[in-house]
């Protein structure tokens, strides 16, 4: 992999250059918390922070998105809507880089999702390093670092930035806008050192190898854990909506008041919400909150693994961070591991 | 709808409330021309002089808080094919139900003045939502309602669809909007048990959710009481938080 060195001053030049051709989104501070917003200069960017509360997936899979526009009348017309701008997602943390890799697979699977894929095609991903907080556990699910799946990865090494080239597209953009030089071994080793430091910063960790988690979850269907946490869960769906790998949506039609045209759109949905698995006639396949929680946890550690071949939890800890009743994905997983090891279901 | 179909006749009625939800309807200024192409408004005190009783759809605003209002809403129900509760006072009883905590004689003294010898002649009964008196087909929640939800319900009725009514809490709207959770900022709100559909407008503009849209179908109120307690609310604060818009369920009696 190619590593370049970008002098300190180069960053704002680089961002200014990108802004000529792209909308640039990156982590900024809102009310003291990190969030992803559109930026207009490098100064606004928070390049070393804990995870944002809402994920950057919204730029690839928006909260509300028009799928098609239609016209009524004697000859109804339908036009597919896939609006996408060229965009740069700047400052994407390794967990979210992994999450985007997973979403790429999901939306290409079966009937490819044109809206997502078109947007993805027009997106440049620039990764950065981050600082874990008490909810982060990427170290436990092998997503603490990102080897690829980004166009560029920028790491602050004091005197300047170490830039890892991920794709030709990324390289071309870097070379077009700023002068860099080949990074020295010493400079490259600073990233390795940072990883070592980061590794020691985690307080949350899962007490089993990631590869064993599908098995642990498949054996936990009848665990009393689900009813316990089901009792305190609000069913508010916050865990779904802040999750970088949750991708469920609902599709609705809206006709204009002139009754002549309208649109079909999709909005984020979440399996923790009461009506998610409710069908015509009123039957609900997952009526209790406990069943819904079990379903979500299994989607991350078992069902999706069977289908796509990897864990669908990237360890960002956002679901635990967003949960008002402290349902913590690491604690629950460790409890299931313990139940399996001791054979006891308390 | 075909061109030659007669326009559905729509009426708006108002009972105990501030009439702010009707104002929301009137504030659909950009849409009013289109609306009037689709429906004929035959009764709407806040907007027109005309008053006719041949309506298909009745939007009823306000809670029922006097004996004679019971008779009036029953008459409306008999005439209308579809009844929609318009706004919090009508859909859940709203703020008005706060008075139900007190004896009605006390309430009259406070409102009409103890010194007035006439206060006792005013008619008042515990405030109640519309569906405590008559069957209601659809609900528009909120204090006040949102314009977009009103338009969606209207369009659904005109196209023969069941109007969408969110059965998920305000937390969803906050996450969709990208708000930082107010609990993260050390404040508290009623959002986790409150029915969404408002785009979390209060939180978005720096306030908190007071629960004006009533609760979702199955709120986890035990969990919410516990959460509020952990965030420092006293027993008294808790009662106030839940009662502000939830008075009917607590002090109203069965429907």
């Amino acid at each position: 992999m190619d590593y370049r060195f970008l002098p300190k001053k180069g960053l704002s030049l680089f961002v200014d250059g990108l802004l000529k051709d792209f909308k640039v989104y990156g982590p900024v501070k809102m009310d003291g918390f990190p969030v992803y917003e559109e930026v207009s200069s490098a100064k606004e960017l928070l390049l070393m922070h804990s995870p944002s509360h809402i994920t950057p997936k919204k730029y690839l899979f928006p909260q509300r998105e028009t799928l098609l526009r239609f016209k009524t009348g004697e000859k109804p017309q339908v036009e597919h809507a896939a609006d996408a701008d060229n965009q740069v997602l700047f400052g994407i943390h390794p967990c979210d880089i992994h999450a985007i890799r997973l979403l790429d697979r999901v939306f290409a699977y079966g009937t490819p999702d044109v809206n997502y894929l078109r947007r993805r095609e027009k997106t440049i991903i620039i990764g950065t390093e981050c600082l874990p907080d008490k909810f982060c556990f990427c170290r436990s699910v092998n997503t603490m670092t990102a080897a690829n799946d980004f166009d560029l990865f920028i790491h602050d090494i004091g005197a300047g930035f170490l830039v890892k080239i991920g794709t030709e597209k990324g390289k071309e953009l870097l070379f077009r806008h700023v002068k860099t030089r080949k990074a020295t071994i010493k400079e490259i080793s600073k990233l390795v050192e940072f990883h070592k430091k980061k590794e020691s910063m985690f307080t949350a960790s899962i007490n089993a190898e990631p590869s064993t988690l599908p098995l642990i979850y498949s054996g936990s269907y009848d665990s009393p854990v689900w009813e316990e946490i089901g009792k305190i869960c609000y069913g508010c769906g916050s865990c779904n909506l802040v999750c970088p790998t949750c991708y469920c949506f609902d599709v609705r039609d809206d006709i204009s008041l002139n009754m002549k045209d309208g649109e079909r759109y999709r909005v984020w949905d979440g399996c923790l919400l009461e009506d998610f698995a409710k069908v015509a006639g009123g039957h609900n396949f997952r009526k209790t909150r406990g069943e819904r929680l079990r379903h979500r946890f299994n989607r991350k550690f078992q069902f999706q693994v069977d289908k796509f071949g990897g864990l669908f939890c990237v360890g960002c800890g956002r679901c635990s961070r967003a949960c008002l009743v402290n349902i913590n994905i690491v604690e629950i997983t460790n409890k299931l591991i313990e139940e399996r090891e001791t054979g006891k279901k308390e | 709808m075909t061109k030659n179909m007669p326009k559905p006749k729509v009426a708006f009625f108002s009972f105990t409330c501030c009439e702010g939800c009707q104002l929301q309807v009137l504030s659909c200024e950009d849409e009013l021309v289109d609306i009037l192409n689709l429906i004929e408004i035959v009764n709407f005190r806040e907007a027109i002089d005309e008053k006719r009783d041949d309506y298909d759809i009745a939007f009823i605003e306000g809670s029922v808080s006097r004996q004679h209002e019971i008779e009036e809403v029953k008459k409306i129900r008999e005439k209308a094919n579809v009844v929609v509760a318009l706004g919090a006072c009508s859909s859940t009883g709203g703020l008005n139900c706060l008075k139900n905590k007190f004896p009605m004689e006390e309430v009259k003294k406070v409102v009409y003045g103890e010194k007035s010898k006439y206060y006792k002649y005013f008619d008042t009964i515990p405030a109640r939502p519309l569906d405590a008196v008559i069957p209601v087909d659809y609900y528009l929640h909120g204090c006040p309602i949102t314009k977009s939800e009103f338009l969606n319900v209207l369009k659904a009725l005109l196209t023969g669809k069941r109007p969408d009514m969110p059965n998920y809490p305000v937390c969803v709207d906050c996450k969709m909007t990208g708000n930082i959770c107010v609990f993260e900022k050390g404040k508290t709100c009623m959002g986790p048990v409150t029915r969404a559909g408002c785009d979390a407008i209060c939180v978005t503009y720096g306030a908190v959710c007071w629960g004006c849209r009533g609760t979702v179908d199955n709120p986890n109120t035990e969990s919410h009481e516990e959460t509020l307690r952990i965030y420092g609310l006293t027993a008294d604060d808790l009662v106030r938080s839940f009662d502000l818009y939830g008075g009917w369920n607590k002090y109203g009696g069965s429907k």
Side-chain angles (χ1 to χ4, degrees):
Chain A
M1 191 157 283
D2 204 0
Y3 287 93
R4 308 289 301 177
F5 177 82
L6 173 70
K8 204 101 224 190
K9 283 182 195 158
L11 187 74
S12 62
L13 277 178
F14 182 47
V15 173
D16 288 345
L18 292 173
L19 281 162
K20 286 179 197 153
D21 304 310
F22 298 91
K23 282 193 170 166
V24 179
Y25 302 97
V28 299
K29 253 196 182 159
M30 185 174 87
D31 301 339
F33 297 91
V35 294
Y36 282 88
E37 287 293 339
E38 190 170 352
V39 295
S40 55
S41 78
K43 268 188 289 178
E44 298 166 41
L45 292 166
L46 270 186
L47 288 182
M48 186 58 80
H49 214 279
S50 52
S52 63
H53 288 228
I54 309 279
T55 83
K57 80 175 173 189
K58 63 182 178 180
Y59 298 115
L60 295 166
F61 169 47
Q63 293 93 322
R64 183 194 192 285
E65 175 178 22
T66 304
L67 298 177
L68 57 87
R69 298 189 180 89
F70 59 83
K71 282 190 176 131
T72 58
E74 278 175 23
K75 280 187 190 161
Q77 290 167 12
V78 176
E79 176 199 315
H80 178 233
D83 315 322
D85 289 327
N86 288 323
Q87 58 181 358
V88 172
L89 307 187
F90 206 114
I92 304 296
H93 297 176
C95 57
D96 286 330
I97 291 174
H98 283 278
I100 292 170
R101 169 178 57 83
L102 295 168
L103 291 182
D104 286 352
R105 267 194 242 172
V106 167
F107 283 109
Y109 180 83
T111 306
D113 189 289
V114 181
N115 289 64
Y116 176 91
L117 295 174
R118 195 167 291 177
R119 208 170 256 123
R120 182 68 182 86
E121 222 176 72
K122 294 189 163 192
T123 303
I124 301 288
I125 293 180
I126 301 181
T128 52
E129 271 304 337
C130 53
L131 294 171
D133 67 8
K134 63 175 178 175
F135 296 105
C136 292
F137 62 102
C138 53
R139 190 188 53 170
S140 301
V141 287
N142 294 341
T143 55
M144 194 189 85
T145 59
N148 35 39
D149 302 300
F150 50 78
D151 295 286
L152 294 170
F153 195 96
I154 296 185
H155 179 59
D156 191 342
I157 53 168
F161 297 91
L162 183 69
V163 186
K164 214 165 153 183
I165 310 270
T167 61
E168 276 305 308
K169 232 181 350 182
K171 186 178 179 178
E172 192 274 316
L173 278 173
L174 184 73
F175 281 40
R176 194 200 307 172
H177 295 300
V178 278
K179 275 191 186 144
T180 58
R181 61 162 169 79
K182 204 169 178 345
T184 62
I185 298 286
K186 207 176 161 193
E187 283 159 353
I188 295 170
S189 67
K190 290 216 168 164
L191 184 59
V192 182
E193 279 164 32
F194 178 79
H195 286 155
K196 271 192 198 146
K197 192 176 126 200
K198 184 167 146 186
E199 210 170 349
S200 69
M201 290 169 77
F202 290 88
T203 52
S205 76
I206 290 179
N207 303 330
E209 277 301 306
S211 59
T212 63
L213 294 175
L215 190 69
I216 285 156
Y217 269 88
S218 71
S220 73
Y221 192 85
D222 295 320
S223 167
V225 160
W226 307 121
E227 206 186 314
E228 277 165 35
I229 56 176
K231 260 188 208 151
I232 58 168
C233 172
Y234 280 104
C236 71
S238 290
C239 51
N240 292 126
L241 301 169
V242 301
C243 176
T245 68
C246 272
Y247 54 83
C248 288
F249 57 83
D250 192 14
V251 176
R252 297 177 199 159
D253 287 347
D254 185 29
I255 190 160
S256 305
L257 266 176
N258 60 25
M259 296 284 152
K260 286 176 190 152
D261 51 52
E263 61 170 18
R264 172 166 295 177
Y265 63 96
R266 67 174 165 204
V267 284
W268 286 0
D269 206 342
C271 58
L272 260 298
L273 303 175
E274 190 181 6
D275 290 356
F276 183 84
K278 207 181 206 177
V279 292
H283 180 71
N284 196 336
F285 285 94
R286 288 186 290 275
K287 211 171 173 191
T288 67
R289 298 184 187 102
E291 288 168 308
R292 301 204 286 273
L293 282 162
R294 179 175 63 200
H295 179 77
R296 176 167 191 273
F297 279 68
N298 272 287
R299 291 277 292 184
K300 302 299 159 194
F301 294 107
Q302 193 203 161
F303 305 155
Q304 297 297 83
V305 185
D306 295 347
K307 201 164 169 180
F308 295 103
L311 292 182
F312 256 63
C313 174
V314 295
C316 68
R318 286 188 178 95
C319 52
S320 311
R321 204 176 282 114
C323 185
L324 278 176
V325 292
N326 303 317
I327 296 172
N328 185 302
I329 195 164
V330 172
E331 286 170 17
I332 300 304
T333 305
N334 284 340
K335 213 166 182 182
L336 297 177
I337 294 166
E338 198 189 321
E339 278 177 5
R340 187 173 176 91
E341 280 170 356
T342 58
K344 254 195 312 198
K345 288 179 180 176
E346 284 166 28
Chain B
M1 288 210 309
T2 57
K3 275 178 194 162
N4 302 323
M5 252 169 81
K7 290 186 208 170
K9 298 187 189 74
V10 177
F12 290 83
F13 298 98
S14 189
F15 292 90
T16 305
C17 62
C18 73
E19 301 202 1
C21 291
Q22 288 197 42
L23 265 184
Q24 285 287 89
V25 173
L26 284 174
S27 74
C28 297
E29 288 165 2
D30 294 338
E31 296 87 3
L32 277 178
V33 173
D34 279 332
I35 292 174
L36 292 172
N37 280 332
L38 296 171
I39 60 170
E40 186 185 349
I41 296 176
V42 298
N43 203 324
F44 194 164
R45 191 181 70 189
E46 205 163 280
I48 58 173
D49 292 332
E50 192 179 349
K51 272 184 192 164
R52 275 161 50 196
D53 281 336
D54 55 336
Y55 40 84
D56 307 298
I57 302 170
F59 286 92
I60 304 181
E61 177 198 46
S63 39
V64 174
S65 71
R66 286 188 288 175
Q67 195 60 43
H68 78 90
E69 291 180 345
I70 293 180
E71 304 314 315
E72 282 182 48
V73 295
K74 280 184 179 166
K75 272 186 213 154
I76 296 169
R77 178 72 265 189
E78 273 170 31
K79 284 179 187 147
N81 292 320
V82 176
V83 169
V84 184
L86 186 74
C89 296
S90 179
S91 68
T92 65
L95 292 171
N96 297 327
C97 291
L98 283 174
K99 82 162 179 179
N100 300 1
K101 282 185 182 183
F102 309 97
M104 289 304 111
E105 285 309 304
E106 284 301 308
V107 172
K108 283 199 261 184
K109 279 184 202 169
V110 172
V111 174
Y112 300 110
E114 204 173 341
K115 284 180 187 156
S116 158
K117 54 185 172 181
Y118 301 113
Y119 76 83
K120 59 183 99 157
Y121 300 114
F122 287 97
D123 160 30
T124 196
I125 56 173
R128 59 204 66 195
L130 194 56
D131 64 7
V133 184
I134 57 168
V136 170
D137 301 298
Y138 304 110
Y139 297 84
L140 274 162
H141 293 285
C143 178
I145 60 158
T146 66
K147 270 166 63 170
S148 59
E149 240 186 346
F150 167 73
L151 295 173
N152 283 340
V153 165
L154 189 66
K155 285 189 282 188
L157 292 177
L158 294 174
T159 50
K161 281 168 51 174
R162 183 175 54 86
D164 273 333
M165 187 173 63
N167 180 28
Y168 47 77
V170 173
C171 299
V172 172
D173 281 358
C174 265
K175 300 296 175 298
M176 295 287 215
T177 311
N179 290 334
I180 297 293
C181 180
V182 300
F183 286 88
E184 284 279 349
K185 300 179 189 171
K187 293 189 267 184
T188 62
C189 89
M190 293 300 284
V193 290
T194 300
R195 189 182 298 278
C198 51
D199 294 333
I201 183 169
C202 296
V203 181
T204 306
Y205 286 93
V208 301
C209 171
W210 286 288
C212 76
R213 298 171 60 88
T215 61
V216 290
D217 288 353
N218 288 303
N220 195 340
T221 40
E222 294 84 17
S223 261
H224 199 50
E225 282 173 16
E226 186 56 26
T227 302
L228 294 179
R229 236 177 257 131
I230 290 169
Y231 277 80
L233 263 61
T234 62
D236 199 36
D237 297 332
L238 273 179
V239 171
R240 282 166 190 272
S241 304
F242 278 94
D243 284 3
L244 189 59
Y245 284 95
W248 170 250
N249 290 331
K250 205 155 164 193
Y251 307 105
S254 58
K255 285 176 187 176

